[in-house]
Amino acid sequence: MGGGSTAPLLAAFACVFLAVFPPVASGDAATLESVPDLVKAMYINVESFPCVRLLNHSGQVDPGHDKVIAPIVRFGNRNDQLVQPSAVLLPLNQMTDFFLRVSNDPELYRKIAGVLVEANGVDNMLEFSPDRKFPQQAFAPYSNLSHHWNPTGSGIMWNKYDFPVFLLSEESTQTLQNLADKNEKSANGYLANVAEFDLVMQTTKAGTHDSESCLREQSCLPLGGQSVWTSLPPISNSSTKHQKPIIMVTASQDSVSFFRDRSLGADSPISGLIALLTAVDALSHLHDISNLKKQLVFAVFNGEAWGYLGSRKFLQELDQGADSVNGISSLLIDQVLEIGSVGKAISQGYPLFYAHAAGNSSISMKMVDALQSASESLGSDNVKVKPAASSNPGVPPSSLMSFLGKNSSTPGLVLEDFDSQFSNRFYHSTLDGPANVNSSSIAAAAALIARSLYILASADLPIDLITLNTIKVNVSLVEELIGCLLKCDPGLSCGIVKSFISPSNSCPSHYVGVFQDLPAGTQFPSYADDISRFIWNFLADRTSSLAGNSSSCTGQCHDEGEICVGAEVEGGGRCVVSTTRYVPAYSTRLKFEDNVWHVLPVNSSDPFSAADPVWTESFWNTIGLRVYAVQATSYDWLVLLIGIIITAASYFAVIVGRSYISKIIKRD
């Protein structure tokens, strides 16, 4: 009875307390009907893209914290200072200066709890590349490493930062800006809007701070994926005897940026990939291509942004005679033609490309001549090509470097939209998106490549000008592939992609990903990502001849030389004759044995083995970002004091109540 008599008194105290000090929430707390409603009212989950922990054979880069909580503050001035550990809200155009300053200012570094990079605020004059001025210079097959291929490069992407960094979406940028404004206005109040970073990464474990140790402890996986190669026409005999010399045409499918999931790489290198796919499509309509004197082989390499993983592994597979490259040999490679960045070649009203030849060999010069002949054949399309400046130290950063490292006399050429320096102001940054390329430039490159290949593959045969002039590219295909591979709408939900595969995501990402274990085969390897699977199916379709058995398939075809195209789509695919294969793309210094990845010693026969970074990505459980409001410590002490007062008052009320009731009972 005594306890029951005090309940109304405690409820009254609670009501008065809540009326004076109402609860604070980040969201809309108008209707709270469940615990999830309460959580939603208290916390705002922020759409963002993280910078994740990566390691190499010598150490690590990128953030390495567990959970971090800090107030959100603006930081838009190079003279700004911090008074306490804070989550810095940073305009994108200040990112380079900020990270360079942080690296040279230990006092500021200690007060950075996290960085939130705004998505907007980009002006037309901005130049932003977090990569180095000579990307992957350790793989250059020449000694002049001081050349600035990427003059806007800052190198901030390759530094180690012991704090989390997130790129905000446009919507979340506005949300965080509003919260930062509230923090500025309530600087002397009791409220603070804070950011909570969740980065649970296993390589924070002691002793796992490089690739070899984390692979041994199984707290990381090597970067890698699947490259794809095909031949046109299909190579019918798996034996390399009596085969034609090979013209190898290459492009890259992966890019990199400071933020893993925002690695679109529109100009560098996806414009070259789209040009290659479009050129293959154009050449696939020729009826007499099997009569040409040289064999066309197309390869799309994955992992090139991380030490040329794809091209170097491809060459290793050739040396070892692996099943993934069955039918071709390195001894048969006569020429290498790489399609680099070709999305920004519109200059003075017409496309202008530069041919970067390897050395001065007669074959390389013939390749340049073929490009110029092809440009002349395009006539009114006015597509121009020029030899790159002789003052350049050599070919620009490209997969061709892998071939030259293997054999310095390899005749090769890289087609680019620049001469001595990148024309891409956003090389390997989040800003290298679809707005940074021109579909007309890519289409022009595809037409130039397709006609050049016909000329080169004809060798000493007379050029059939009628056939040459029938080689035309599908401009609509270029525009469709830009929408598929560089945009979220339609993204990988576009018609041509869904005609071949069932994509796991709509928004494309060209981050290489991780290689989990050895693939089971060359047609349907485990863990092949959406982009690789689409490229495999597209190339298999365009380079194929129909099989005798036209029945649908959902996997392997029965006849030798046949593969199943479109196996993922509803209703199954179809069997075609095509020499299209997946090739694993991961470090040549790695070996998968006993279900564990092992780092191999430097291979003295491989000139690039010592330069191989052996990149790995840490395992992580959660990478998230949310914001909410908290009270200052003084407010917490005030709440504690009021709670003590209420408790004491309640206790006193109980004593008084009991005494009063006892007196009444005695009178009765």
Side-chain angles (χ1 to χ4, degrees), residues 473-502:
V473 301
N474 184 348
V475 177
S476 297
L477 175 62
V478 173
E479 295 172 347
E480 184 177 12
L481 289 174
I482 289 175
C484 297
L485 300 178
L486 295 175
K487 300 178 181 179
C488 287
D489 185 16
L492 297 178
S493 297
C494 67
I496 191 170
V497 171
K498 296 194 74 174
S499 68
F500 292 121
I501 68 169
S502 297

Side-chain angles (χ1 to χ4, degrees), residues 38-57:
L38 177 62
V39 172
K40 185 178 180 180
M42 293 175 62
Y43 302 101
I44 300 175
N45 290 315
V46 179
E47 182 184 11
S48 56
F49 308 95
C51 175
V52 304
R53 176 188 290 277
L54 299 173
L55 301 93
N56 56 31
H57 66 80

Side-chain angles (χ1 to χ4, degrees), residues 113-131:
V115 177
L116 306 168
V117 181
E118 299 174 354
N120 51 22
V122 179
D123 56 59
N124 293 329
M125 300 301 294
L126 178 64
E127 295 183 344
F128 175 54
S129 173
D131 208 335

Side-chain angles (χ1 to χ4, degrees), residues 13-31:
F13 270 113
C15 290
V16 171
F17 174 75
L18 291 174
V20 177
F21 301 106
V24 179
S26 299
D28 182 10
T31 57

Side-chain angles (χ1 to χ4, degrees), residues 162-404:
D162 284 328
F163 49 78
V165 187
F166 281 77
L167 174 68
L168 304 173
S169 67
E170 292 187 5
E171 182 179 352
S172 59
T173 292
Q174 185 63 48
T175 300
L176 270 294
Q177 287 175 339
N178 293 336
L179 293 177
D181 289 341
K182 290 180 180 179
N183 280 351
E184 290 180 3
K185 293 176 182 178
S186 62
N188 297 321
Y190 64 85
L191 285 180
N193 291 288
V194 301
E196 180 183 280
F197 304 86
D198 280 326
L199 290 114
V200 183
M201 312 190 85
Q202 289 189 16
T203 47
T204 53
K205 185 192 300 184
T208 59
H209 295 301
D210 57 46
S211 289
E212 185 169 6
S213 60
C214 77
L215 288 171
R216 183 173 57 250
E217 296 296 329
Q218 300 186 49
S219 63
C220 65
L221 284 172
L223 296 192
Q226 298 290 338
S227 300
V228 179
W229 74 272
T230 190
S231 64
L232 183 67
I235 299 173
S236 57
N237 188 352
S238 61
S239 172
T240 59
K241 295 180 179 179
H242 311 300
Q243 286 192 353
K244 302 174 183 178
I246 289 173
I247 299 175
M248 173 143 305
V249 190
T250 70
S252 301
Q253 74 173 72
D254 74 295
S255 187
V256 65
S257 77
F258 202 99
F259 305 98
R260 185 192 65 172
D261 297 322
R262 299 297 293 171
S263 302
L264 286 176
D267 185 44
S268 306
I270 304 304
S271 62
L273 168 63
I274 295 174
L276 182 145
L277 298 178
T278 307
V280 171
D281 175 73
L283 290 169
S284 68
H285 299 290
L286 296 181
H287 299 294
D288 64 343
I289 198 165
S290 60
N291 296 327
L292 297 177
K293 297 196 70 173
K294 295 187 178 182
Q295 175 74 51
L296 296 179
V297 172
F298 299 88
V300 178
F301 295 129
N302 205 354
E304 294 301 273
W306 302 95
Y308 302 115
L309 297 177
S311 55
R312 294 180 60 235
K313 187 64 180 178
F314 177 83
L315 291 171
Q316 185 186 62
E317 296 275 287
L318 282 176
D319 286 345
Q320 296 174 350
D323 290 341
S324 61
V325 291
N326 189 20
I328 58 175
S329 164
S330 59
L331 298 177
L332 292 171
I333 297 176
D334 184 60
Q335 304 161 54
V336 178
L337 175 58
E338 180 169 355
I339 313 176
S341 302
V342 293
K344 300 175 70 64
I346 302 297
S347 174
Q348 300 176 354
Y350 60 88
L352 173 60
F353 299 97
Y354 292 89
H356 297 257
N360 295 313
S361 70
S362 59
I363 299 179
S364 296
M365 292 304 101
K366 286 182 180 179
M367 297 176 72
V368 176
D369 292 341
L371 284 167
Q372 292 179 329
S373 297
S375 70
E376 292 171 2
S377 73
L378 290 168
S380 59
D381 290 342
N382 204 24
V383 180
K384 304 296 183 183
V385 60
K386 292 182 179 180
S390 58
S391 59
N392 290 346
V395 297
S398 57
S399 303
L400 182 56
M401 288 183 169
S402 296
F403 288 85
L404 294 173

